[in-house]
Amino acid sequence: MHRATTTRASKPALATKKKSPGRRLRWVAALVAGLVLAGCARKEEGTTVRFWAMGREAEVVAELIHEFEAENPGIRVDVQNIPWTAAHEKLLTAFAADGLPDVCQLGNTWIPEFAELNTLEPLQPYIDRSTVVEPADYFPGIWDTNVIHGEVVGVPWYVDTRLLYYRKDLLAQAGHDAPPRTWAEFEQQMADIKKMQGPNRYAVLMPINEFEQQLSFALQQPDPLLRDDDTRGNFRSPGFRRTLGFYANMFEKGWAPKMSETQISNVWDEFFRGFNVFYISGPWNIREFKKLEPKELAGKWGTAALPGPDGPGAGIAGGTSLVIFRKAQQKEASWKLIEFLSRPEIQQRFHSIIGDLPPRRSTWQAPSLAGDPLAAAFRDQLERVKPTPKVLEWERIVQEMRIVTEKVVRGGQAQDAAVTELDDRVDKVLAKRRWMHEQATGQPGDAAPAATGGQP
């Protein structure tokens, strides 16, 4: 209030005071100079690339962006950190409001969804003239997650997959000197470990509220998870029946506890106290286990490729990729940023800071990775990873798989009934896709799906 009163009182005095011609000219010159300088400042700001990244990766990449901006003084990168829990909804909201950024980090299972929405810029022309991004240097399964309907729409940024963490000392006590390579070896080792462990400890920990374990085993089968051009579930196939039988048998035999993650106090503590010998998880846990291991157990645990039906098997091609949106204002500058983050030496530094695994084989030649025996199993596994079905409904489908397989484990649902129910659930999820496919191909089929997305 005092400031407003003072301003009003001062206005008459300013209004009646006359300026001399010389002072007026100096004032005009100063104004013009100020406008010129402001214009120069705006010009120096150059191009701004809007980059959305998620979680811890967004925090870490900000450390590398300074180097990119130093190499490209005309480009500024505005990094927005999006929490993973809100990222999917925020992206869809931005799409609806025509407010997507220039470049973005997308989870590999989200890429088909945003490709179907026609939001992703095809990148093959950029790749063709690039001296940095070399498709042959990437693990094939990871690169394939970015190819939708024959078009490359993303470049892998980091990768993850699931494999075995295991206690070397306890496995040796059970009579085995190496981790399993096949399902048969895995079952034998789990039986021997459980016999040694007794009633209150187990061979393997696989929280039943997670889907990654059964999905990993399912990807090792020759049968696809969807059929009829990805318009129907294929869970009654021989391959998935074998997967479900193998998975459920671990709980039926008492080799794995029927527990969800919320029922386990701390997976790292339980692992080191011997509650379980095997644990299926991703690369982020290398650092966690190293950080939390008791001194007396240093070197007494390791990692191993996921066993398959007949030898080391496939796994999930997880991780995230970098995409440019079709309506991006700064496509060339965005591609420069993607090239920078794709350099092997930058990927190696990114790994050293955060522990995320690089998607390029050449990056794995760095001493910090090549000399790490715990990372070696992941390097091996990454050569065999497979993408999940490239449909925008996949996130819903995999949750249906988790729900039904939990019914088998917890509720004793018969496996034949389970795969039938799962196919029915998935067919409902895919009803709209199936109807659209039938309209496009002229094939007779179901009526148009209801607005709820259910099968009519």
Side-chain angles (χ1 to χ4, degrees), residues 406-421:
E406 185 171 347
K407 283 185 176 183
V408 174
V409 171
R410 280 197 190 272
Q413 184 179 28
Q415 293 178 27
D416 284 347
V419 294
T420 299
E421 178 185 346

Side-chain angles (χ1 to χ4, degrees), residues 148-198:
I148 309 297
H149 302 310
E151 282 191 332
V152 181
V153 293
V155 174
W157 189 19
Y158 68 83
V159 298
D160 70 58
T161 191
R162 303 295 175 103
L163 46 63
L164 287 180
Y165 287 76
Y166 71 103
R167 286 281 301 272
K168 297 178 181 179
D169 54 338
L170 295 180
L171 183 61
Q173 288 179 31
H176 300 276
D177 57 6
R181 295 174 58 83
T182 66
W183 282 9
E185 290 178 2
F186 196 19
E187 289 181 322
Q188 184 61 59
Q189 291 189 10
M190 287 189 287
D192 293 341
I193 290 168
K194 179 59 179 176
K195 185 177 180 180
M196 176 188 75
Q197 292 276 68

